[in-house]
Every structure is written in C-alpha cells, then in structure tokens.
Amino acid sequence: PLSPLPSFVATTSMEEKSGWLWKRGHFNTAYKYRFFRFSNNMLMYYADDKSKHPKGSIDILNADLNDNEASNEYCGFKLTCSSRVFLLRATTRAEVANWAKFIRQRKKTLLESAVSITSETSNLNINRVVSIDWNQRESTGTQGTLEAELKKLMTTKKSAELKK
C-alpha cells in the first residue's frame, strides 16, 4: 500500500500541465512520488518540483494511454511505449481522468498540427485526415490507426516533394 500523499498540486491549460503522480520504477518496481511537467510532446518527470533536470521523459506521441484497466482502488493509468510501460497513479480517480483527458487532448493537438502542413506544389490534401472523428476513434480504441494514417500521409507528402 502507498503512504498518504501530500496535497495535489497541478496547473492545467492547453499549454501546460504539471503535478504530482506516483511512478512505478522500471528496475526497482516500488512506486516513487514524482513531479510531472509537459514540454511539447514530452511528459517529463522530476525528483521534485524544484528540479531543473528531469529524471526521465515519456513521448506521448509514441505512447498508448490506458486508464480503463487500472483498478479504481489504486487510481492508476498506464502509458505504453515501444520500449517500456509506465505505470502511474494519482490520489483520486478524478485526477486520473484529468491527466488522461489532458494527455489525449495534447496528443490530438500535436497530431492535428502535424497534418495541417500542406504543400503548395502538391495536390495531396493532408487536412482531410483531421476530419476523421477523433472521439469515435477513441471510443473504438483505434487511435493507433489514426496515427498510422497520419504517418502514411506525411511519408507520401514527403515523397511527392522529393520527386519535384
């Protein structure tokens, strides 16, 4: 069991979010209390809120979020990357929901901004992908499909530009 937590400290906007979460260690599997802060697509974690150098980071563009499997008792969620699974816990389910919503929104915003780039010399219209209903994809668990489509379109766009 985890010890009682200090008061939750967080700031939230579309530009920033930071706060305290428990993070399970990779080698030492005990949970440690870490301060998390977003920087673009990276969720950085620190020993405390005064630290200038992160202990590590999670690239949310390459991470799958799962907040459904975690037990309500433990108020947790999971970020799965290709090389590691990050298990994180908050003090309440409401905080888990807040972090999950923010992570999904940040990822969506970053992906949409990546595809909003259009080429003046190409007929390829990448913006059509943005019209895909993101909420429907979230509810069916096919976010990975959207990411694959975006990567494919970006590769096609780059190939078209290189041929010129």
Side-chain angles (χ1 to χ4, degrees), residues 111 142-155:
L111 288 169
T142 57
Q143 298 96 321
T145 304
L146 176 59
E147 291 168 41
E149 290 175 25
L150 295 176
K151 286 177 184 174
K152 183 179 176 183
L153 285 170
M154 293 304 290
T155 302

Side-chain angles (χ1 to χ4, degrees), residues 34-48:
R34 298 290 186 219
F35 188 76
F36 284 79
R37 181 180 305 128
F38 267 98
S39 176
N40 296 319
N41 61 309
M42 303 302 288
L43 180 57
M44 315 292 270
Y45 54 94
Y46 302 81
D48 59 53

Side-chain angles (χ1 to χ4, degrees), residues 93-108:
R93 278 306 289 164
E95 290 171 20
V96 169
N98 185 282
W99 277 97
K101 180 180 177 183
F102 188 88
I103 291 167
R104 285 185 179 107
Q105 185 60 44
R106 173 63 64 94
K107 189 172 183 176
K108 176 184 173 193

Side-chain angles (χ1 to χ4, degrees), residues 6-46:
S7 298
F8 179 78
V9 178
T11 58
T12 306
S13 75
M14 279 310 296
E15 296 302 316
E16 69 177 72
K17 178 170 180 61
S18 60
W20 293 93
L21 294 169
W22 288 97
K23 184 190 79 61
R24 186 172 178 183
H26 186 63
F27 296 107
N28 173 3
T29 58
Y31 279 85
K32 292 190 177 180
Y33 203 49
R34 298 290 186 219
F35 188 76
F36 284 79
R37 181 180 305 128
F38 267 98
S39 176
N40 296 319
N41 61 309
M42 303 302 288
L43 180 57
M44 315 292 270
Y45 54 94
Y46 302 81

Side-chain angles (χ1 to χ4, degrees), residues 66-71 76 93 104:
N66 187 336
D67 59 335
N68 294 325
E69 276 183 25
S71 166
R93 278 306 289 164
R104 285 185 179 107

Side-chain angles (χ1 to χ4, degrees), residues 83-161:
S83 62
R84 180 161 176 204
V85 174
F86 292 88
L87 298 174
L88 304 170
R89 291 183 180 171
T91 56
T92 66
R93 278 306 289 164
E95 290 171 20
V96 169
N98 185 282
W99 277 97
K101 180 180 177 183
F102 188 88
I103 291 167
R104 285 185 179 107
Q105 185 60 44
R106 173 63 64 94
K107 189 172 183 176
K108 176 184 173 193
T109 300
L110 289 166
L111 288 169
E112 286 177 346
S113 67
V115 268
S116 66
I117 302 165
T118 56
S119 171
E120 294 175 10
T121 58
S122 174
N123 290 332
L124 180 61
N125 183 1
I126 297 173
N127 286 324
R128 68 187 170 90
V129 176
V130 178
S131 66
I132 295 170
D133 185 294
W134 182 266
N135 292 328
Q136 180 183 8
R137 289 189 173 266
E138 275 189 347
S139 66
T140 59
T142 57
Q143 298 96 321
T145 304
L146 176 59
E147 291 168 41
E149 290 175 25
L150 295 176
K151 286 177 184 174
K152 183 179 176 183
L153 285 170
M154 293 304 290
T155 302
T156 305
K157 177 185 179 296
K158 190 173 185 178
S159 295
E161 288 175 351

